[in-house]
Amino acid sequence: MYNISVDIRRENYNGRIAAFVSGGVDSMVMLDLLVKGGADVLVVHVQHGIRPEAQADSDFVHDYCKALGLEFVQYSFDIPAMAKVSGRSIETEARLARKSVMSQLLQSGKVHKAAFAHHADDNAETVLMHILRGCGVDGLKGIESTDSVLRPLLDYTREQIVDYANQNAIPYVTDRTNFDNTYTRNFVRLEVLPLIKTRYPGAVEALNRLAKNASELLMAVDGQLDGSLIRHNGDAVELSLDALKTPFATQYVIRAAKILMPVDITRVQIQSVLALIDSKTGSKAELSGGLKAYREYDCIAFCFDGEVEDFATQFAVGCVKCGSAVVSVSEISPIPIKGKTVISSDVPGGCVFRRRREGDRFTPYGGQGKSLKKYLIDKKVPKRQRDKLVCLCDGNEVLAIVGLEVSDKCKITEQTRSAYLLEVQGE
């Protein structure tokens, strides 16, 4: 096991590293090796709020860092609650939470790289699960390191890591959920892979070699993709329909989905997305982890369908709470601003902010009144976005669709003396 520490020191660890440490044996060994290798480490612990005893794990890591004089930071999430709102699975939500922490730290400049304790068994399990779920070639590449994301234990097995911890008296905690076979990864780890290894002792090494070969192949394929055909637009990723007409349609689908979801989609799911090109607008395909793909007017949109709260909040100047969002209402000069929702301050009493409802009507700026539904269809607002719009309403008359359009009934004219700017925040 001595060679692990030698390999760590050979790495170029210039700059500060955010070491993601759960307290388990893998991450504690990684932390030990990074410190012994002379790395400048910020220890990051992500508290998911899933297990009652998880805070004890956090306290263990904190105390360990304090004893060694290492800087420690904890990020806490209520993953079950977040998953309920977003529509994602708990596993996907937890991965995205860790990813968001990593991105925040890297973008802030507080660290230059992030380190995770994935090892060879993790990679073998991942490849095997992808194969059994029906992945394409992309799923075979498993877990990878990048320039900014380090995985220093990826070449070593769990057995080697545990041996190192025992030989060097490295303390660690054990997560009891690691032995719960209802989780797919645990089933593969505890039941499937050990059985395979009784017949094929080199299975872990073979699966890791397969992952490396697949990664090299896909690197060459990715060089042929046109990045402009994939757009990250707010909470959705939009894939141009032109991408589905190329020989690399499958890879475009995989790349677009991967932006929002860390779990690889299966071959069957990929085919369901490709079939959307011949489907009507609004059709959708169900993917992994709660991810959806929608056929829209000029693209395939990948997104999660979270809960849409109903609310009816009285119009007022200032910050108005509207479900999980806040609408800012500020007084400004009565001058229309392109791309902004500016209305006359002569707002009828009793107006409310709410979601759209059946029977709502809207009079476009300089146009004729029509149903709000027809207006949104004419405007080519994607179906998945319509129920999330915040509307200013007087009864069933929509005076403004915040962030989209102002009704002719409250437009700015030469006679307008004052105006309000409406902006949605936090949604």
Side-chain angles (χ1 to χ4, degrees), residues 312-329:
T313 308
Q314 195 72 31
F315 175 84
V317 177
C319 291
V320 182
K321 182 69 173 175
C322 297
S324 61
V326 172
V327 175
S328 169
V329 181

Side-chain angles (χ1 to χ4, degrees), residues 266-309:
T266 68
R267 186 70 185 181
V268 172
Q269 292 167 345
I270 292 169
Q271 291 300 323
S272 69
V273 175
L274 296 177
L276 290 175
I277 194 169
D278 297 318
S279 302
K280 64 180 181 180
T281 300
S283 299
K284 69 177 178 179
E286 303 276 349
L287 308 180
S288 302
L291 189 67
K292 309 284 195 304
Y294 284 89
R295 170 66 157 89
E296 297 190 347
Y297 296 97
D298 61 350
C299 70
I300 303 295
F302 297 82
C303 65
F304 293 97
D305 286 342
E307 287 187 346
V308 179
E309 321 102 310

